[in-house]
Amino acid sequence: MKIQAAVLRSAHQPFSIESLDLEPPHAGEVLVRIAATGVCHSDWHIVSGATAHPMPVVPGHEGAGIVEAIGEGVTRVKVGDHVCLNWAPSCGRCFYCLRDRPNLCAAYVESIWAGTMFDGSTRLTLDGEPVYHFSALACFAEKTVVPEPCCVPISKDVPFEVAALIGCAVSTGIGAVLNTAHVPAGSNVAVFGVGGVGLSIVMGAKLAGAGQIIAIDRSQSKLDTAKAFGATSGLLSKQHVIELIQGYTEGRGADFVFEAIGVPEVQELSLHCARPGGVIVLAGISPMGSGTNLPGAVLTRQEKTIMGSYYGTTNPTRDFPLYTDMYQRGKLDLDRLISRTYRLEEINDAYADMLAGTVARGVVRFDF
């Protein structure tokens, strides 16, 4: 079948909208008609060259849609189901899956980074040549074929735009608080970077019953948004943030500091914003090959803990329905997370807005 998709042919180039050929699903695969997909920094890392990936590629890893067809052996979903897509499929049987860490499952990592399906081939082609899938999803397209483990059924009452964000930003941010760090009630929390993931961290901290929730960003409008989501204070990044955070926390520093940008310099700053005995959680994805200077003397003498949080230590089968239920019960204000929607043809404009910091989260919508 023919589909329209946003294709990246090489780094440092804009997306182009092209007509591609999409094969039907093979055994263990699902054809999904994409209804909405989020505009996320992780896809931009391919454009900037911070993440290496085979080209040409269809990015997009934060999506939701409707199942249109299933391959042989698929039992998790059926035609007509609404699904939230999971970009970290897991096998359910390995050491990590059996210990409730499916986000660390390595069973499919090789094929995902090769940009293929699990059998080593692509379902996307252009003039007979392969076009690669980013994160096994390739959501910047009208339709996509994904592995069955990438599909999590959700309530049909949840808007697709909200479901798409649950598939990445929301789960990454809330999960970093609840699943990775297990933030206790009353804790003082600082959050560096309040885009989609950072705002979700703020929401997670509020859910956890945090005391102070201090947002730090270079954009005043984003800080204002963070306060609407539950931040008690907002600091511009150009301010003396270490001293100001200490001022909010009786001179100690924050109990938990979350870094949601993936910038080594900000990660290093986060270390000094945490109190002795505090925890620094790195939830942003840094460029491949980058390094962070976290001095061992400070870590040892002040007993600070550095934690990585990949996909919010999420178990999608458990957490996606949990977050959709919380949204439906008014516990998560996810509608406000969506600043603007775009057509697929406006994908380059969507990323320009993201980079300018004028949106909390942009979403590409596909009108049926």
Side-chain angles (χ1 to χ4, degrees):
M1 70 189 77
K2 291 286 187 181
I3 62 164
Q4 295 293 303
V7 179
L8 184 66
R9 292 185 167 273
S10 63
H12 310 294
Q13 297 295 320
F15 294 98
S16 58
I17 307 302
E18 304 192 32
S19 179
L20 304 180
D21 290 302
L22 177 65
E23 286 186 33
H26 292 197
E29 298 173 357
V30 180
L31 172 65
V32 178
R33 184 171 187 176
I34 297 296
T37 181
V39 178
C40 179
H41 264 96
S42 295
D43 299 297
W44 184 255
H45 287 335
I46 313 174
V47 181
S48 69
T51 295
H53 197 279
M55 303 278 187
V57 60
V58 175
H61 68 283
E62 189 177 71
I66 301 174
V67 174
E68 286 204 336
I70 58 175
E72 181 183 353
V74 170
T75 59
R76 182 176 297 187
V77 295
K78 63 183 183 300
V79 172
D81 280 352
H82 289 199
V83 292
C84 182
L85 296 179
N86 156 35
W87 55 259
S90 56
C91 69
R93 303 179 301 274
C94 70
F95 176 92
Y96 296 104
C97 288
L98 294 176
R99 287 158 178 80
D100 196 29
R101 302 296 289 274
N103 62 314
L104 299 181
C105 176
Y108 308 122
V109 169
E110 184 175 349
S111 59
I112 288 173
W113 281 110
T116 68
M117 304 300 283
F118 296 161
D119 66 0
S121 64
T122 69
R123 301 294 164 266
L124 294 167
T125 55
L126 177 63
D127 298 328
E129 296 298 318
V131 176
Y132 296 97
H133 309 240
F134 181 56
S135 287
L137 299 184
C139 290
F140 288 168
E142 296 172 317
K143 298 183 181 183
T144 187
V145 170
V146 303
E148 181 184 16
C150 293
C151 296
V152 179
I154 58 169
S155 167
K156 292 183 179 180
D157 295 329
V158 176
F160 285 116
E161 296 93 333
V162 168
L165 299 193
I166 287 173
C168 183
V170 171
S171 294
T172 299
I174 294 177
V177 177
L178 302 183
N179 299 333
T180 308
H182 302 287
V183 172
S187 299
N188 293 323
V189 172
V191 184
F192 279 89
V194 283
V197 172
L199 289 174
S200 298
I201 291 172
V202 170
M203 285 190 282
K206 183 178 179 181
L207 283 172
Q212 296 282 346
I213 304 175
I214 307 164
I216 307 99
D217 200 281
R218 63 185 180 181
S219 166
Q220 183 60 54
S221 64
K222 284 190 174 183
L223 294 177
D224 294 339
T225 302
K227 290 180 181 179
F229 277 92
T232 56
S233 308
L235 303 177
L236 288 168
S237 54
K238 64 183 179 182
Q239 295 177 293
H240 300 290
V241 295
I242 298 174
E243 292 83 358
L244 290 171
I245 289 173
Q246 289 174 341
Y248 285 119
T249 57
E250 299 179 348
R252 293 187 300 270
D255 301 313
F256 292 85
V257 180
F258 292 85
E259 197 274 350
I261 312 168
V263 175
E265 293 82 1
V266 180
Q267 294 171 343
E268 294 164 11
L269 177 61
S270 298
L271 175 70
H272 300 290
C273 293
R275 65 165 173 80
V279 177
I280 300 91
V281 182
L282 306 183
I285 300 294
S286 302
M288 289 180 173
S290 64
T292 303
N293 178 26
L294 298 174
V298 173
L299 296 175
T300 300
R301 291 192 173 104
Q302 297 187 15
E303 292 193 350
K304 296 185 180 182
T305 300
I306 308 291
M307 302 182 72
S309 180
Y310 188 56
Y311 206 179
T313 318
T314 294
N315 182 332
T317 303
R318 176 196 65 208
D319 293 340
F320 288 5
L322 172 64
Y323 298 149
T324 58
D325 179 66
M326 294 176 75
Y327 163 77
Q328 290 179 297
R329 291 189 292 113
K331 300 295 185 180
L332 288 175
D333 186 9
L334 301 184
D335 293 312
R336 185 158 37 183
L337 197 57
I338 302 165
S339 301
R340 181 179 169 185
T341 59
Y342 303 83
R343 301 187 309 276
L344 182 64
E345 294 77 14
E346 299 175 305
I347 189 68
N348 291 303
D349 296 331
Y351 273 99
D353 290 343
M354 182 199 75
L355 295 172
T358 59
V359 293
R361 200 60 154 193
V363 175
V364 174
R365 287 183 53 179
F366 296 82
D367 295 323
F368 296 166

